[in-house]
Amino acid sequence: MGMAGKVALLLWAQTLGLAGAQTTQLLVEPPWIPAVLWDQVTLTCQGSGTTGATTWYTDEWSWRQEGRGHFNVTKSGTYRCYRRGSGRSPPVTVLNDWLVLQVPARPLLEGDMVTLRCRSYQDKSLTSVHFFHEGKDLGGPHDRTELSLFPLQLHHSGRYRCRGRVGAVVPEWRESQLVTVTVRKVPVSGVFVSVRPRGGQVALGDRLVLSCAVTMGTGPRSFTWHRGGSETLLGTGPHLELRHVGDNDSGQYQCRASDGYSVAESVPLNVTVLGKRDPQVTP
């Protein structure tokens, strides 16, 4: 499997929050779903445990093969794999139909561009193509077999299919199965904390303000504050203010940002509380 495909699909798992949950993933190469049999499809099972613990299933558990972490598909059907320690993977469907509408097997994030491909059996001649979104004809007929969506927005989510005439001698109308497009908000990342006074050094009894910001992410965000690796909640919101710092306020402070789907945290920021200042003496 190509490195680009692995990276894209591992990103997919992380974006959905699956990697942290140790969920088994079924990766497909070429990275399009549903896959088509005439593309010489390779499936790779990834999860915790050893490769020898992999079990493969297809079409209601009628077939299984122990031990191999990947294999080349020779029959259409719906495939899953199982790894001890991380469980069963989501399904991947391999079709051998007259017409198939494919979506990239990667996270479809708000603001990106995605191309849907209408494929005829063994890439035979395909003309008079129509694309449909939730039953609405998006235009045609035309000989363009790809539909580009840019920039991706949440309302692009839904069920798509394509219709066209397959064959060169006596073309026949064919229609694809429905495929679901799910557009997700860009997950939060690049969380960082700034502090006043600068450097995080503050005199005993003075005021300290920590601020949290996010470099990337398109969804609404919530913030929580923690200290020294503890799960104890110090506060919520983008700012944490300590009006009169005490001796026990020294330590490492961390902010976590969430959009409801993904969570990211900042590098810990060190705060040092210095001894009480000497009073100012006016001559």
Side-chain angles (χ1 to χ4, degrees):
M1 179 174 186
M3 181 57 69
K6 285 185 178 179
V7 170
L9 285 153
L10 286 172
L11 173 62
W12 190 19
Q14 291 165 1
T15 302
L16 298 179
L18 298 172
Q22 294 289 315
T23 302
T24 302
Q25 291 300 303
L26 185 50
L27 311 185
V28 57
E29 180 70 26
W32 293 85
I33 51 176
V36 292
L37 192 60
W38 59 89
D39 271 351
Q40 297 180 327
V41 177
T42 300
L43 297 179
T44 302
C45 192
Q46 291 198 346
S48 63
T50 61
T51 303
T54 303
T55 305
W56 293 92
Y57 303 92
T58 186
D59 292 338
E60 303 301 327
W61 318 104
S62 62
W63 173 86
R64 54 189 291 162
Q65 181 177 357
E66 302 275 358
R68 296 171 59 194
H70 67 276
F71 76 98
N72 298 322
V73 178
T74 57
K75 290 177 59 178
S76 60
T78 300
Y79 292 84
R80 292 177 184 265
C81 68
Y82 171 85
R83 297 286 288 270
R84 283 195 293 272
S86 53
R88 196 171 59 176
S89 74
V92 167
T93 299
V94 181
L95 297 178
N96 201 32
D97 296 349
W98 279 106
L99 206 59
V100 178
L101 183 62
Q102 292 185 307
V103 180
R106 61 176 174 83
L108 306 180
L109 301 179
E110 202 173 24
D112 285 352
M113 184 178 80
V114 66
T115 299
L116 278 58
R117 308 194 305 185
C118 191
R119 303 275 304 279
S120 59
Y121 176 71
Q122 295 187 348
D123 296 321
K124 296 179 183 295
S125 173
L126 176 59
T127 57
S128 302
V129 179
H130 290 255
F131 291 94
F132 300 86
H133 178 214
E134 293 295 343
K136 179 183 177 181
D137 193 339
L138 300 179
H142 42 64
D143 293 337
R144 179 168 50 88
T145 60
E146 296 184 344
L147 174 67
S148 293
L149 304 175
F150 175 78
L152 269 183
Q153 298 178 29
L154 296 180
H155 69 77
H156 287 131
S157 295
R159 296 172 301 171
Y160 289 77
R161 63 180 172 88
C162 65
R163 185 170 182 259
R165 294 167 66 89
V166 178
V169 181
V170 184
E172 293 189 41
W173 284 104
R174 302 289 181 179
E175 192 169 273
S176 74
Q177 295 185 26
L178 289 168
V179 63
T180 299
V181 169
T182 303
V183 181
R184 299 181 182 276
K185 293 184 177 296
V186 177
V188 293
S189 64
V191 182
F192 65 94
V193 174
S194 57
V195 61
R196 294 196 311 271
R198 285 186 179 180
Q201 294 189 335
V202 58
L204 192 68
D206 280 1
R207 177 172 172 261
L208 176 78
V209 178
L210 300 169
S211 298
C212 189
V214 173
T215 304
M216 292 185 65
T218 56
R221 301 158 195 163
S222 61
F223 301 90
T224 59
W225 292 91
H226 307 269
R227 181 175 151 197
S230 169
E231 292 301 315
T232 302
L233 183 65
L234 300 180
T236 59
H239 307 288
L240 177 67
E241 180 179 1
L242 304 179
R243 293 182 182 274
H244 304 283
V245 298
D247 291 322
N248 296 329
D249 290 327
S250 289
Q252 292 189 324
Y253 288 77
Q254 211 166 15
C255 168
R256 291 179 189 162
S258 173
D259 59 6
Y261 294 96
S262 58
V263 179
E265 62 184 17
S266 70
V267 173
L269 186 143
N270 197 51
V271 169
T272 304
V273 178
L274 306 174
K276 190 171 182 65
R277 290 190 187 133
D278 293 330
Q280 294 289 331
V281 176
T282 304

